[in-house]
Amino acid sequence: MNQERTSHIIAYLFLALYTLFTLLPILWVFSTSLKPGDEVMAFPPRILPENISFENYRFVFQDQYLLRSLVNSFITAGFSMVLSVTISALAGYAFARYRFKGKNLILGAIMGMFMIPVAMNTIPLYIIFQRFKLLDTYFVLIWSYQILIIPLNIFLLKNYFETIPREIEEQARIDGCTTLGVLWYITIPSAWPALAVSGIFAFRFSWNEFVFPLVFANKQEMNVFQVALYKFMDLYRVNWGHLTSCIIIGILPILVLFIFFQKQMVSGFTAGAVKG
C-alpha cells in the first residue's frame, strides 16, 4: 500500500513539474503583455508587473493592419475548418464502409502526404498557384492548408466511423434512407465527438500556419495574424510589449475552442477516434 502511494506521489509530482514547465513561458508572456514600456525592459526582470497596463492591447486593437490580419486569420481558418471536415468526413466514411481496389494503397498515400515537410511542398505549390494567378487570395490559403489537415482528419474520422455499428445504418437503408441520408442523419450525429476533434485540429493548423501565408499571400492586405507579428521584430529592436500582447490574442481562439469542446475531444479520443 505504501509503495502504491509513493508511486502516486511521484506521478503527481512529475505532472505538477511538467505543468509548471509548460505554463511558465505562457504566464511570463501574459505578464509581459501587461507591463508598461519601462517595465518590459527593466533589469533585473520582474515576474509580475508593478503597474498593470492595457496599453499594449489597446495598441493592437487600434492598429488597422493588425485588425485586418486578425480578420484574415479568422476567415481563412474558419473556411478551412469547414472544408476540411466536409472532405475528411466523406473520405473517411468511404474508407471505413466500402471496399474497392487500391484502398489501402490510397490510404497509405494520403497518410504519406502528412509526413512530407511543409517546406518541400512550398515551391511546387507556389509555381502552380502563380500560373493560375491565385496568389494573394483567400482561396490559395484555404486550399493550401488542406495539405496539412486532410490526411490526419481522414485517418481520425475513418477510425471513428469504424466504431459505429453497421447495423444502425443497415436498418436505416431498409427503411428507405439513401446513402447520403444515412451519412447525414445517422452517422454524422453519432460521430459528433470525432468531428469536433477534427474541426479543432483543422482550425488550429490553419490558425497557426506561418510558412504558407508568408509565401502565398505576401501582400500586406492579405497577411494573416501570424505573419503580422513580424511587424514587431526589427533588425536591432523588438517591441516585446506589443509582441507579447499579440501572442496572447493569438492563443485565445484556440484556448476557447479547447475549453468549449473539451468533453467532445475526450469522447472522440477515448471512443476510438485515433484507434490504429
Side-chain angles (χ1 to χ4, degrees):
M1 187 69 179
N2 291 333
Q3 185 177 0
E4 182 179 356
R5 183 177 180 182
T6 302
S7 63
H8 286 170
I9 292 175
I10 294 174
Y12 285 124
L13 182 62
F14 172 78
L15 291 174
L17 291 174
Y18 179 79
T19 303
L20 179 63
F21 180 78
T22 304
L23 294 180
L24 191 58
I26 300 176
L27 293 176
W28 178 261
V29 169
F30 179 67
S31 173
T32 304
S33 70
L34 295 175
K35 295 177 181 178
D38 55 338
E39 289 190 36
V40 171
M41 303 304 296
F43 186 84
R46 302 182 181 92
I47 297 178
L48 298 176
E50 289 186 356
N51 301 302
I52 295 178
S53 172
F54 294 96
E55 183 61 34
N56 295 320
Y57 292 96
R58 190 177 299 112
F59 170 83
V60 173
F61 289 108
Q62 288 178 350
D63 190 295
Q64 295 301 316
Y65 170 63
L66 290 174
L67 286 178
R68 177 62 186 267
S69 67
L70 195 59
V71 171
N72 289 342
S73 287
F74 274 111
I75 292 174
T76 55
F79 279 97
S80 178
M81 176 182 65
V82 173
L83 181 63
S84 172
V85 172
T86 302
I87 295 175
S88 301
L90 294 173
Y93 184 79
F95 281 115
R97 289 294 188 255
Y98 297 105
R99 295 181 179 179
F100 48 88
K101 290 184 178 180
K103 172 182 173 180
N104 293 332
L105 181 63
I106 297 173
L107 186 60
I110 292 174
M111 290 307 302
M113 292 173 57
F114 187 71
M115 307 300 176
I116 299 175
V118 175
M120 293 185 64
N121 291 320
T122 304
I123 295 177
L125 287 174
Y126 183 88
I127 295 173
I128 294 172
F129 293 142
Q130 184 184 45
R131 289 183 178 178
F132 284 95
K133 298 181 179 180
L134 296 174
L135 296 176
D136 297 308
T137 62
Y138 290 126
F139 179 88
V140 72
L141 294 179
I142 294 170
W143 277 100
S144 61
Y145 290 160
Q146 305 311 310
I147 299 173
L148 308 172
I149 306 166
I150 284 181
L152 178 63
N153 277 348
I154 288 178
F155 182 72
L156 188 150
L157 291 173
K158 166 190 171 294
N159 288 330
Y160 197 95
F161 286 144
E162 289 176 345
T163 66
I164 300 175
R166 292 175 179 265
E167 291 76 12
I168 301 177
E169 297 177 356
E170 292 173 356
Q171 184 63 47
R173 288 193 179 92
I174 292 174
D175 293 338
C177 198
T178 63
T179 300
L180 287 178
V182 169
L183 178 63
W184 181 255
Y185 294 108
I186 305 298
T187 311
I188 293 299
S190 301
W192 166 240
L195 293 172
V197 173
S198 63
I200 292 173
F201 279 169
F203 190 91
R204 188 188 72 83
F205 273 111
S206 303
W207 183 267
N208 291 333
E209 178 55 27
F210 175 77
V211 176
F212 282 171
L214 180 65
V215 176
F216 300 149
N218 205 24
K219 284 186 178 180
Q220 183 169 328
E221 61 268 19
M222 286 303 303
N223 286 164
V224 297
F225 197 62
Q226 305 299 335
V227 175
L229 297 187
Y230 253 150
K231 178 177 181 179
F232 306 111
M233 301 182 67
D234 298 329
L235 183 59
Y236 300 106
R237 181 177 180 271
V238 177
N239 193 320
W240 292 109
H242 295 164
L243 181 60
T244 52
S245 62
C246 285
I247 292 174
I248 295 299
I249 293 172
I251 292 174
L252 284 178
I254 308 298
L255 182 62
V256 170
L257 280 178
F258 273 101
I259 291 175
F260 276 95
F261 294 98
Q262 58 181 327
K263 292 183 179 180
Q264 287 80 2
M265 291 194 67
V266 172
S267 177
F269 283 126
T270 57
V274 294
K275 173 186 172 184

